[in-house]
Amino acid sequence: MRIRELALDLTPLRAGGPLGLVLATRVLALLCIGLTSVGVVVQVYERTGSSAQVGAVSLVLGTGLLLGFLVGGVLSDRRDRKGLILLGSGWAVVTFAVLSVNAAADRPALWVVYVSGALFGFTEGVAETALTAVVPTLVSEEHIPATGALVTVTTTLGSIAGPMLGGVLIAGPGLATTFALAAAGTAVTTLLLTRLGPMPPTGPEAGIATAETAGAMSGAGEAAVPVPEAAVPETVATGTAVTRPGVLRSLREGFAFIRGSQVVAAVLVVDLCAALFATPTALYPQFAEERFGGGAAFVGLLTTAPMIGAAVASLVSGWTGRARHQWRVLCGAVAAWGLACLGFGLSPLLGFGLFFLALGGVADTVSEIMRRTLLMRHTPDPLQGRVSSLWLAQAMTAPALGGVLAGLAASVVGPAATVAAGGAVCVGTLALVALRYRALWAGRVEPASRPDGAAVDPAVGSNSDTTAPS
């Protein structure tokens, strides 16, 4: 493999289309969200002096996001996805502006922060689900792996730059200015997004189902997933009526597809193993104090190390688009994450700990790229919204639950043993999952069908139209 092949693959952007605009606005939106998230934490703590209140605000935001993901998954498979994205972006402008006005008041009202956080979380969940669902439709099949890497890079850049810049602005111009700049930046994002064309979904949930598109939903070559008759009424053929199932039934159809698709189910289970058992973030404060004998400065270093690894991995992710065995790469990345947590837990010195966390950041980024790629390639468009929503919901709740489990274990055996054991359990459960889905590892899964009738490659990600990397 030549050095230039390691560089981030920009081919999907060079191919033209709206992908470049979507990714650029995504970076700006995440930057503004980062400014606001730091500002809210600082404001709540300054007003109350209570970490519990900070946690409560995060819980309110997380609850709103979870509901938004679930509702957004159904809406994204029924309505124009551009409208849902604009809804989230436009409401973010209102939210950030309200927070700015509230911060500028003599006595900022805490309830405003809570209500704004809940409503913003819901609309952001809807918009993020719609955006995740629409990305695969913006590129051709051969560009999906590279697109997954680009989406991961934009997420990483926005997640790192936003909080860093937020800290600088809060310490300088102040909270009101920080929120105002976030509102202005998001307003620019909204205006740019209006340049996009309509992005309607296809398939039964959009009310344009035929028997052929319904059959594509099950995924040819994989375990058949029956489509409820309510999703494809007989009257659709004559154009006299369109029947849509309720929200809960639509979500059940999403679960049914996941259960019937080896690829999607395996990706979600692997993701769950890493998030549930190897989540050291919640233990950073205790780890810094008891293991390394430091304070808040050490916590900042521990938090930054994985981000640095993630940034490096993003910049040299060009090879991921040419990986011939994406399932194997995903398993390798999750195993590396577990081993990095094991090494971090056993590290006697801060330097060693930071090194393993940076390696973990690299592994986590590669894992996310592979997860996005496999989910985009093996989920038909009529179900992109619901599968994306369930994945995003899991990605939000599993680490939180993992943090709770880690905290309980650390109170008994200490943070070091907890993190090390969690990494080992992550690797062990991954081995069981790989054994359960050994057909994917061996590459014996037949291609699944896309909604347009074209075949996609097997779950292992063997790209038949590309050569092996040198």
Side-chain angles (χ1 to χ4, degrees), residues 12-184:
L13 297 178
R14 299 192 187 102
L19 179 64
L21 177 61
V22 169
L23 293 181
T25 55
R26 178 176 174 79
V27 172
L28 181 56
L30 289 172
L31 180 67
C32 296
I33 292 173
L35 295 179
T36 306
S37 62
V38 173
V40 167
V41 169
V42 171
Q43 184 180 36
V44 171
Y45 191 77
E46 285 182 350
R47 290 281 297 143
T48 66
S50 170
S51 295
Q53 288 276 18
V54 174
V57 170
S58 299
L59 178 62
V60 168
L61 176 62
T63 302
L65 278 171
L66 179 59
L67 293 175
F69 288 151
L70 297 178
V71 174
V74 176
L75 294 179
S76 296
D77 291 336
R78 295 183 174 186
R79 302 181 181 276
D80 181 15
R81 292 163 179 169
K82 174 188 173 181
L84 298 176
I85 296 171
L86 286 175
L87 169 66
S89 184
W91 181 254
V93 176
V94 176
T95 301
F96 300 161
V98 168
L99 289 174
S100 178
V101 173
N102 184 58
D106 293 335
R107 293 183 59 83
L110 197 59
W111 68 267
V112 172
V113 179
Y114 275 91
V115 172
S116 298
L119 295 177
F120 168 74
F122 179 79
T123 55
E124 177 61 21
V126 172
E128 181 64 19
T129 302
L131 180 63
T132 303
V134 83
V135 167
T137 68
L138 303 180
V139 295
S140 58
E141 167 66 23
E142 65 271 18
H143 291 158
I144 283 182
T147 302
L150 288 170
V151 173
T152 303
V153 169
T154 58
T155 303
T156 302
L157 289 176
S159 300
I160 294 175
M164 291 178 60
L165 181 58
V168 174
L169 290 174
I170 294 170
L175 281 169
T177 301
T178 302
F179 290 139
L181 289 175

Side-chain angles (χ1 to χ4, degrees), residues 242-254:
V242 173
T243 302
R244 286 177 174 172
V247 172
L248 293 179
R249 186 170 181 180
S250 292
L251 288 174
R252 286 198 297 271
E253 290 170 10

